[in-house]
């Protein structure tokens, strides 16, 4: 372009703008210009860009832009001959719908940007995905939910509802209940019940009952989606464009679907350790709950939630169980409580712990249901050794986020290369403006069903209901359903010391004896209650820990109280319910600092 004066430059600007479409006057080094260009890229909308720093008359054009629009700064954006403004104004127009309206007026752009098949596509039909889909649809949006289960290496698969319903919380808690009943039967005689000695557990009956219930839940979810007018497709989703997904159904039929917004909720699947024989001969929790035969003598590898819960119920069902532990029990949890759980599993459930070991190889001795397997392992710093024979080896060594090979790179969605998790901000936004992530795939958040549900509902309400309420990921209660259950909320003692310093904390604790344990003469020293109070903050309870029967039921109410700012004084002024286990928290008087005994002597 030859040098031009300001009036001629104005004509150049007006000509560019009058051609219609999206025109961005930009400077190639300007980060705000990049944001605006990325926005249109994400929207899949073609734009024309004039980089003022790269052309001869750039500065004169910028003067002319001031004359035309009253704005000298870049970016300076026009859509369909209408001045939209700079970066903030453009994003504001995107948020309040003005941009969509302007784009819709441009026939060639309407195709690209506004005629999406759906307002929202949710990828993943588990706890988070179901919650987000139903809420968005209730708020009047056109929603598609895609859910697909890739079979395990041994072929297990399941229906709609995700991990919790099919291979997580629900079957786990029901098997835990089967195990508690065994304990109850042991106790029953001391309460006068008389029955023969031949109590025997039938795995198939338990498994069939649980699977029937799960199938009814799968059906219920389908009905709920239909009632809420969410379109559901049992298909694997893969991004093939910023707003476009390829869905491949169970018959291999592919369809291409577009949406304005996406919520990712793909969850996680069990990790394999990568040693010879793991995928061929071993199972994970994804196989266990639908296993057609009793697993028999079992080696559980891992030492966190899944490993200890499964080891616990299998042992209480009468199986010989060994747990191989790489380092510590229940990493991240209060270690005093974690070790009490371990002691109880060893002393009262007959579980064997192999500590500081990892498996190195699994060989099949004999096929069957169950067959027999030979396991080799090594001490964390040692040579390979023969560890023994087992019918079943259950790997519970953590879970991998389902974020690989589904085209997230096509859209430019950032994934932590090490963990496979998706970083999100407090609004569950990924780095791509129209893509959100909730549930287990989020980086650095708790992997629990109610967390995924809460995040899904609140996200939909913010997107489509005008809400500003964010999901509060702090002070989330949880329970480990080991034979002696452990409920907690807030900080572990270790974490509280790191955060506040030992001198600023008062730790109150006590053993307690459930009344139900008196007649069967179960050892009273196992049950334990602990609260951690921040002294400078009115002795506010920052950590709550309960090891005893019905820990989930006990912990839930105290979690509510902690949200309300529970203090030691409030606990002391609360009258307990007698005779219960939870009442111990209203009478805690022994501090750890005092070193006094925590044993209980009477009721
Ligand atoms: P999920 O529920 O895992 O759902 C994700 C869905 O997306 C799955 O159906 C998956 O197949 C599908 N999917 C993945 N990729 C694609 C794709 N590309 N296209 C289409 N669909 C796809 N939490 C608790 O709160 N309490 C408990 O007691 C508890 N117990 C547990 C016990 C076990 C053994 C396990 C493994 C987990 C347990 N959890 C528990 C954790 C809980 O199950 C999860 O936190 C919860 O299910 C996460 O929900 P989500 O929506 O993120 O993912
Ligand atoms: P996890 O919490 O990630 O724990 C993994 C366990 O496996 C740890 O003990 C770890 O040991 C061990 N491990 C990892 N790699 C190993 C290897 N190569 N060899 C040997 N051991 C190895 O996983 P998870 O138990 O599967 O639980 C996943 C999530 O599901 C949890 O975070 C939880 O939120 C959720 N969940 C909740 C419940 C509930 O609410 N009751 C129940 C089950 C699951 P190190 O400590 O040495 O790393």
């Amino acid at each position: 372009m030859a040098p031009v004066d300001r009036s001629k430059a104005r004509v150049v600007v007006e000509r560019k703008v009058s051609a219609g479409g999206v025109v961005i006057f930009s400077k190639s080094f300007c980060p705000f210009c990049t944001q605006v260009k990325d926005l249109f890229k994400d929207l899949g909308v073609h734009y024309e860009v004039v980089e003022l720093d790269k052309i001869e008359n750039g500065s004169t054009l910028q003067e002319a832009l001031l004359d035309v629009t009253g704005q000298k700064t870049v970016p300076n954006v026009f859509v369909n001959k209408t001045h939209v403004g700079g970066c903030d104004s453009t994003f504001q127009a995107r948020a309040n719908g003005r941009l969509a309206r302007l784009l819709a007026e441009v026939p060639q752009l309407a195709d690209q940007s506004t005629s999406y098949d759906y307002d929202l596509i949710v990828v993943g039909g588990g706890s988070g995905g179901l919650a987000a889909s139903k809420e968005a649809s209730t708020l009047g949006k056109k929603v598609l939910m895609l859910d697909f289960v890739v079979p395990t290496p041994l072929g297990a698969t399941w229906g709609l509802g995700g991990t919790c319903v099919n291979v997580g919380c629900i079957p786990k808690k029901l098997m835990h209940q089967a195990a508690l009943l065994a304990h109850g039967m042991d106790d029953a005689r001391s309460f006068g019940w008389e029955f023969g000695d031949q109590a025997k557990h039938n795995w198939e009956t338990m498994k069939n009952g649980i699977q029937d219930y799960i199938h009814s839940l799968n059906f219920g979810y389908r009905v709920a989606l239909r009632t809420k007018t969410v379109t559901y497709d049992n298909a694997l989703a893969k991004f093939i464009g910023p707003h476009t997904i390829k869905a491949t159904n169970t018959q291999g039929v592919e369809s291409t679907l577009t949406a304005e917004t996406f919520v990712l909720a793909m969850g996680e699947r069990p990790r394999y350790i990568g040693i010879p024989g793991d995928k061929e001969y071993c199972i994970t929790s994804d196989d266990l709950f639908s296993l057609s035969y009793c697993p028999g003598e079992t080696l559980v590898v891992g030492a966190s939630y899944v490993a200890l819960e499964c080891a616990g119920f299998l042992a209480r069902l009468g199986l010989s169980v060994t747990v191989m532990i790489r380092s510590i029990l229940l990493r991240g949890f209060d270690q005093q409580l974690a070790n009490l759980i371990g002691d109880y599993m060893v002393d009262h459930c007959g579980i064997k712990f192999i500590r500081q070991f990892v498996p190195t190889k699994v060989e099949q001795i004999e096929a069957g249901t169950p067959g027999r397997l030979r396991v080799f392992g090594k001490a964390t710093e040692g040579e390979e050794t023969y560890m023994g024979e087992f019918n079943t080896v259950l790997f519970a060594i953590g879970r991998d986020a389902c974020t690989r090979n589904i085209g997230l790179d096509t859209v430019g969605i950032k994934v932590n290369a090490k963990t496979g998790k998706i970083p999100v901000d407090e609004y569950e936004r990924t780095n791509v403006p129209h893509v959100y992530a909730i549930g287990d795939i989020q980086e650095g958040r708790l992997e629990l069903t109610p967390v995924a549900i809460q995040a899904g509902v609140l996200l939909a309400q913010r997107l489509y209901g005008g809400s500003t309420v964010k999901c509060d990921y702090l002070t989330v209660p949880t329970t480990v359903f080991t034979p002696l259950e452990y409920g907690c909320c807030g900080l572990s003692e270790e974490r509280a010391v790191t955060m506040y310093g030992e001198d600023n904390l008062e730790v109150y604790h006590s053993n307690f004896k459930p009344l139900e344990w008196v007649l069967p003469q179960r050892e009273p020293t196992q049950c334990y209650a602990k609260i951690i109070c921040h002294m400078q903050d009115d002795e506010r309870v920052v950590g709550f820990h309960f090891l005893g029967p019905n820990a989930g039921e006990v912990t839930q109410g105290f979690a509510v109280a902690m949200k309300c700012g529970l203090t030691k004084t409030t606990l002391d002024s609360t009258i307990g319910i007698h005779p219960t286990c939870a009442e111990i928290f209203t009478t805690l008087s022994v501090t750890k600092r005092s070193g006094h005994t925590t044993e209980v002597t009477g009721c």
Side-chain angles (χ1 to χ4, degrees), residues 172 273 303-306 309 326-327 331 396-398 447-448 479:
K172 181 277 305 289
I273 197 165
S304 200
Y305 271 101
V306 177
E309 290 182 339
R326 175 169 76 172
S327 58
R331 182 177 297 285
I397 58 161
E447 296 161 17
L448 296 169
T479 290

Side-chain angles (χ1 to χ4, degrees), residues 175 179 182 201-203 206 283 288 291 293-300 310-323 345 349-352 370 390-392 394:
M175 291 202 177
H201 184 258
N202 185 313
W203 175 274
M206 174 186 71
I283 64 168
L288 178 68
L291 207 61
Y293 54 87
C294 176
E297 189 173 351
T298 302
L299 173 69
V300 177
C310 293
F313 69 69
L314 290 175
R316 275 284 160 80
L317 295 179
L319 308 183
S320 165
V321 176
T322 304
V323 182
M345 292 177 79
C349 308
I351 296 172
K352 293 181 273 300
F390 301 90
N391 296 115
T392 297
L394 170 72

Side-chain angles (χ1 to χ4, degrees), residues 105-413:
E105 288 164 12
V106 191
Q108 72 272 27
L109 296 181
D111 280 353
Q112 297 167 22
S113 63
T114 52
S115 59
Y116 297 121
D117 301 322
Y118 294 92
D119 294 314
L120 174 69
I121 291 182
V122 176
V123 182
S127 309
L130 280 166
S133 310
K134 287 188 285 185
E135 191 67 17
S137 185
T138 303
L139 291 167
K141 293 295 152 184
K142 190 179 176 196
V143 183
L144 168 70
M145 201 194 70
L146 298 167
D147 186 63
F148 187 87
V149 178
V150 177
T152 70
L154 298 184
T157 185
W158 49 88
L160 181 61
T163 302
C164 170
V165 174
N166 295 285
V167 287
C169 329
I170 300 297
K172 181 277 305 289
K173 182 89 189 286
L174 290 172
M175 291 202 177
H176 172 65
Q177 174 62 14
L180 291 180
L181 288 172
H183 217 201
M185 280 191 295
D186 289 346
D187 290 357
R189 291 180 203 280
S190 29
F191 287 90
W193 287 101
E194 292 174 2
F195 46 90
D197 292 336
Q198 288 301 308
K200 195 168 151 255
H201 184 258
N202 185 313
W203 175 274
E204 210 183 336
T205 306
M206 174 186 71
K207 186 269 295 176
N208 287 345
I210 291 172
Q211 289 301 319
D212 287 350
Y213 177 60
I214 290 173
H215 294 148
S216 76
L217 291 177
N218 298 147
F219 179 73
Y221 287 126
R222 292 181 86 118
V223 172
L225 289 178
R226 212 173 305 138
T227 311
K228 295 269 183 187
T229 63
V230 173
T231 307
Y232 160 60
D233 198 358
N234 182 195
L236 184 75
K238 181 172 181 169
F239 276 100
I240 53 169
H243 286 264
T244 311
I245 269 199
K246 182 177 77 180
T248 310
N249 75 11
T250 39
Q251 278 81 48
V253 178
E254 291 178 1
S255 46
T256 303
L257 304 148
T258 58
E260 184 180 16
T261 306
F262 292 82
V263 171
L264 307 182
M266 291 88 69
E268 299 181 304
R269 296 296 292 271
R271 186 175 304 144
Y272 283 84
I273 197 165
I275 57 168
D278 62 350
K279 285 197 174 152
E280 295 92 319
Y281 309 126
C282 305
I283 64 168
T284 69
S285 54
D286 277 2
D287 303 288
L288 178 68
F289 302 112
S290 59
L291 207 61
S292 60
Y293 54 87
C294 176
E297 189 173 351
T298 302
L299 173 69
V300 177
V301 183
S304 200
Y305 271 101
V306 177
L308 297 188
E309 290 182 339
C310 293
F313 69 69
L314 290 175
R316 275 284 160 80
L317 295 179
L319 308 183
S320 165
V321 176
T322 304
V323 182
M324 191 182 278
I325 302 158
R326 175 169 76 172
S327 58
I328 57 170
L329 299 179
L330 290 170
R331 182 177 297 285
F333 284 90
D334 190 292
Q335 283 302 295
Q336 182 192 6
L337 275 293
N339 290 325
L340 285 174
I341 291 173
D343 294 347
Y344 187 85
M345 292 177 79
V346 171
D347 298 341
H348 295 270
C349 308
I351 296 172
K352 293 181 273 300
F353 279 179
I354 305 176
R355 290 181 183 269
Q356 315 294 324
F357 259 81
V358 290
T360 50
K361 183 167 65 180
V362 179
E363 293 175 348
Q364 190 178 57
I365 304 168
E366 194 183 308
T369 51
R372 282 201 78 70
L373 302 170
R374 188 184 289 129
V375 178
F376 294 82
K378 67 177 174 72
T380 343
E381 310 201 337
E383 294 288 298
E384 183 175 86
T385 39
Y386 173 61
M387 306 301 297
E389 283 183 20
F390 301 90
N391 296 115
T392 297
V393 176
L394 170 72
F395 276 107
I397 58 161
R399 298 167 60 77
D400 289 326
C402 300
T403 51
R404 313 224 191 247
N405 307 321
I406 59 162
L408 299 188
D409 46 341
T410 310
V411 195
I413 298 166

Side-chain angles (χ1 to χ4, degrees), residues 55-119:
I55 57 173
E56 200 182 335
N57 300 309
S59 53
T60 323
L61 283 191
Q62 195 165 0
E63 300 289 334
L65 276 165
L66 175 64
D67 296 341
V68 174
T69 64
Q71 176 194 328
K72 192 176 177 193
T73 54
V74 288
N76 203 337
V77 178
F78 294 81
V79 176
N80 195 23
K81 303 173 202 166
T82 307
H83 181 231
V84 176
C87 182
D88 284 353
S89 312
T90 308
F91 274 88
Q92 215 171 358
R94 153 100 168 120
N96 64 25
R98 181 172 172 242
L99 189 60
R101 282 193 297 278
L102 286 171
L103 290 170
E105 288 164 12
V106 191
Q108 72 272 27
L109 296 181
D111 280 353
Q112 297 167 22
S113 63
T114 52
S115 59
Y116 297 121
D117 301 322
Y118 294 92
D119 294 314

Side-chain angles (χ1 to χ4, degrees), residues 34 36-45 47 242-243 434:
T34 308
V36 162
K37 286 179 262 181
D38 284 349
L39 171 69
F40 286 103
K41 254 185 239 156
D42 289 335
L43 291 171
V45 172
Y47 55 84
H243 286 264
H434 65 283

